[in-house]
Amino acid sequence: MADDNELGNGPGDSTVTEFACYEDYLDSQITPIDLYYLEDKELARQLVELGYRGSGEPLKREEFEARKKAAESFRLSKRLTTNVLASFGKDLEGHPFLKALAEREEANRSGKLTSIIFIRTKNSKNQEISGYIDYSHRLKIENFENYFNKTKQFLPKPSDMSFYNWETQTCTSNATPNFQVIADNESGLLFKNKRDRKIINVDPAEERPGDNTSRTQIETHEHIQVVIFDHLTRRKS
């Protein structure tokens, strides 16, 4: 049996990707001399498939098709990894907040990072609102193309982890797939990561927001105030 490396059986398998079909693969191992003596391409293909022609042991049709399918899946997954990012190719010059979201998008989509975004801003009624947003969760349930295209403003919602309308005094809090909200605590508002059970303290007076967590203030004209808490999620190996 030929060496796996010789056959190139990785996910991007060049052994199969350069051929449109199994017959093309067999034809690549038929020489002009083979055709001259055999005078029959189908017979030549059969001889290659049986291992009597060509170099090394050939792939069987089933193995070729399986590798072809795996290579195509690999190609599509690579393309989706790039294109799934709503921020990909967007011009965010002059928009520091959107740029900060773009920089964190891939890590939040993949689960390497769970970012909590605090925003204090004005809504369409010119009412001051604020809230803490689970960025990873919003990425999963919303189309961010509109935000990165700047046709829609990214705002806190009553469905977010914490929301407050300073004029109507509407106040809500909600757990998300990533965080539990701990509101009744002497330390103030806390968020508990459901994966590693680490606590994130969003009190600005706290020197450190928590283990594996950083706090970043974003200076921007887009909102009154923006603070991002990036929590690094450590997966068990």
Side-chain angles (χ1 to χ4, degrees):
M1 186 75 179
D3 189 297
D4 280 345
N5 291 330
E6 184 181 319
L7 291 176
N9 62 350
D13 198 342
S14 60
T15 306
V16 300
T17 53
E18 60 184 286
F19 304 112
C21 61
Y22 185 59
E23 285 69 26
D24 288 351
Y25 164 69
L26 295 177
D27 289 348
S28 71
Q29 301 192 52
I30 298 172
T31 68
I33 295 175
D34 292 332
L35 287 176
Y36 176 78
Y37 285 107
L38 294 171
E39 299 180 342
D40 187 332
K41 180 175 277 191
E42 283 304 318
L43 177 59
R45 286 173 175 170
Q46 290 174 26
L47 291 174
V48 171
E49 193 169 0
L50 292 170
Y52 294 117
R53 288 290 184 274
S55 57
E57 187 170 340
L59 298 175
K60 299 299 183 186
R61 182 180 292 273
E62 295 77 12
E63 189 177 3
F64 177 90
E65 295 295 345
R67 290 194 186 185
K68 187 79 172 170
K69 187 175 181 180
E72 178 64 12
S73 296
F74 177 72
R75 184 185 68 80
L76 287 174
S77 69
K78 282 187 70 178
R79 189 178 69 184
L80 287 172
T81 299
T82 301
N83 292 346
V84 76
L85 297 181
S87 59
F88 182 74
K90 303 296 190 299
D91 180 11
L92 304 177
E93 192 65 34
H95 293 79
F97 172 56
L98 289 180
K99 191 173 182 181
L101 291 185
E103 289 168 352
R104 292 163 171 81
E105 184 184 2
E106 191 279 329
N108 273 270
R109 286 191 186 276
S110 66
K112 299 172 191 171
L113 199 68
T114 46
S115 298
I116 296 173
I117 303 168
F118 171 75
I119 297 177
R120 186 160 65 95
T121 191
K122 294 285 186 75
N123 63 15
S124 58
K125 297 178 181 178
N126 205 36
Q127 298 169 336
E128 186 170 322
I129 58 174
S130 61
Y132 288 90
I133 301 164
D134 179 347
Y135 184 37
S136 296
H137 182 52
R138 287 275 289 262
L139 279 169
K140 287 182 179 177
I141 63 173
E142 289 187 62
N143 181 359
F144 268 66
E145 290 278 346
N146 291 331
Y147 296 130
F148 289 119
N149 282 327
K150 301 182 282 292
T151 57
K152 186 178 180 182
Q153 192 175 25
F154 185 71
L155 298 173
K157 298 180 177 181
S159 57
D160 282 317
M161 292 197 296
S162 176
F163 173 86
Y164 187 65
N165 183 311
W166 293 82
E167 184 170 317
T168 65
Q169 297 189 346
T170 301
C171 181
T172 62
S173 65
N174 305 280
T176 70
N178 301 308
F179 292 101
Q180 174 187 344
V181 182
I182 306 173
D184 301 323
N185 187 282
E186 60 182 18
S187 299
L189 185 62
L190 304 174
F191 299 104
K192 185 176 184 179
N193 186 280
K194 291 182 177 180
R195 178 174 294 178
D196 61 15
R197 306 184 71 80
K198 298 290 186 181
I199 298 292
I200 291 92
N201 190 332
V202 294
D203 185 346
E206 284 291 324
E207 185 178 344
R208 295 179 67 249
D211 292 342
N212 308 326
T213 303
S214 63
R215 180 197 295 113
T216 305
Q217 180 100 17
I218 307 296
E219 299 298 330
T220 178
H221 62 85
E222 297 152 282
H223 298 290
I224 298 170
Q225 184 183 11
V226 175
V227 182
I228 301 179
F229 299 85
D230 291 316
H231 182 69
L232 183 64
T233 305
R234 291 185 174 177
R235 297 175 182 269
K236 291 182 179 179
S237 55

